[in-house]
Amino acid sequence: MSVHRLGEMRYPEVAALIEAAARSVAILPAGSVEAHGPHLPLSTDTMISEAVAMRAAIGFAEHGWTAVVFPPVHYGVTDWAAAFSGSTSIPADVTHGLFLSAAKAARAMGFTRVALTNAHLEPGHIKVLRDVTKAYEAETGEPLVFADKTRRKNAARLTQEFQSGSCHAGQYETSLILAIRPDLVRTDLMPALPEHHVALHEKIAAGAKDFVDCGLDQAYCGRPADATAEEGERSLRTLAAMVVEAVVASVD
Ligand SMILES: [Zn+2]
């Protein structure tokens, strides 16, 4: 089936689609422009987030929901990778305003629910998204659905490496990009990237302020050399299911 992508539709088609749907959901993917090792593209998080939204849209159809995937927000709070070229951060208040405005605009179109997908795990960015859900709920009286994969019960469904916290541009994310955009992975460099175990959540708790503090001298941790497209495909299915389940549960 074809997925509805807002940026590729004409406005009368959007109105007609929402009008005809029993239940409709706008999915807004959150990304980042951030160094992801020497082997993955800077828009890794955006690509994952958008792919999860696209995959979730197929799952929604099976539940009788009509989903529309919005153009992704390519930028977020990305201070941790500032030492690595290309990483482009925007301030927390700008990020907050951007997501809250876009989510409220989607709601005003008549969608039953608005949902965020996100793959950028920087603490300052996650905090903004959580704050946005609170502000949205306070203003509209409705939930802004955010299937946050850093929450324990969601994380428990993902790979061992993800759960270990040693997962920036490692096996988990490299596998996802191998499944989504294999042409953008420098597979020639992967065998020369040794396992670099850094439990980021422990470093964060200990007061680390960026990837350099954490010892990520090549902007990665984990085991990128072990990545496979098959693992990425499995993660994608699980991540999409989390989004569908959270939205469906928010109305039942
Ligand atoms: Zn990432």
Side-chain angles (χ1 to χ4, degrees), residues 33-38 40-43 78 81-88 217-219:
V33 182
E34 180 186 42
H36 274 77
L40 292 182
L42 282 141
S43 284
T78 310
F84 302 94
S85 193
S87 304
T88 309
D217 54 328
Q218 289 190 81

Side-chain angles (χ1 to χ4, degrees), residues 34 36 44-45 119 168 173:
E34 180 186 42
H36 274 77
T44 285
D45 292 337
H168 182 74
E173 287 190 322

Side-chain angles (χ1 to χ4, degrees), residues 30-32 45 73 75-78 80 90 92 95 99 117-132 146:
S32 74
D45 292 337
V73 175
Y75 299 89
V77 179
T78 310
W80 277 60
I90 59 173
T95 310
F99 278 97
T117 58
N118 175 58
H120 178 43
L121 306 178
E122 181 161 332
H125 181 77
I126 297 280
K127 182 182 184 316
V128 166
L129 296 183
R130 288 179 181 169
D131 288 348
V132 166
F146 174 29

Side-chain angles (χ1 to χ4, degrees), residues 105-123:
R107 179 179 178 273
M109 293 169 207
F111 285 96
T112 313
R113 282 289 178 267
V114 181
L116 303 177
T117 58
N118 175 58
H120 178 43
L121 306 178
E122 181 161 332

Side-chain angles (χ1 to χ4, degrees), residues 39-40 159 161 170-180 182 185 187 190 223-236:
H39 62 300
L40 292 182
T159 68
E161 187 195 80
Q171 183 177 346
Y172 169 79
E173 287 190 322
T174 305
S175 294
L176 278 160
I177 298 300
L178 281 173
I180 298 163
V185 181
T187 49
M190 281 165 53
R223 296 181 308 272
D226 292 347
T228 65
E230 292 71 30
E231 181 192 305
E233 189 59 35
R234 279 196 302 278
S235 292
L236 207 50

